[in-house]
Amino acid sequence: MHVKKGDLVQVIAGKDKGAKGRVIRALPREDRVVVEGVNLIKKHSKVTHQGPRGAKEGGVQTLEASIHVSNVKKLKDDAKTDEAKKDDKPAKKAAAADESGEDN
């Protein structure tokens, strides 16, 4: 997978196209990721009286669902320093031409 937990990504396809967020969870076996604030779903839960602490509250929760990793694009993180940004760029080929005009 080209992204991992904590990466800044942008959604490039689907209903949330253009949205940016951080990867909360990466699911490499399913080729899916969970992105913060993207693909929000509503989950209804029933009140139960079972469990170790007694009653569980019911209601509607809004949470993020996973999206396919092919629908996200990794963005450069703005938190990097200037030195780190320079290291990420590929080196440019120096223009080394002879007096005859040929490249070496």
Side-chain angles (χ1 to χ4, degrees), residues 12-77:
I12 57 174
K15 67 176 185 175
D16 293 316
K17 183 177 181 178
K20 296 176 185 176
R22 295 227 174 255
V23 175
I24 299 171
R25 261 175 69 193
L27 307 166
R29 289 187 182 162
E30 293 92 28
D31 284 334
R32 298 179 83 76
V33 290
V34 178
V35 181
E36 184 178 27
V38 175
N39 198 19
L40 296 174
I41 61 167
K42 301 248 184 211
K43 185 172 183 179
H44 297 261
S45 61
K46 198 173 187 179
V47 177
T48 61
H49 298 290
Q50 299 173 357
R53 293 186 208 104
K56 177 183 163 194
E57 271 192 46
V60 181
Q61 295 176 334
T62 303
L63 49 104
E64 294 96 355
S66 65
I67 59 175
H68 199 268
V69 73
S70 67
N71 293 336
V72 297
K73 173 176 70 172
K74 187 175 180 180
L75 297 176
K76 290 184 180 178
D77 203 355

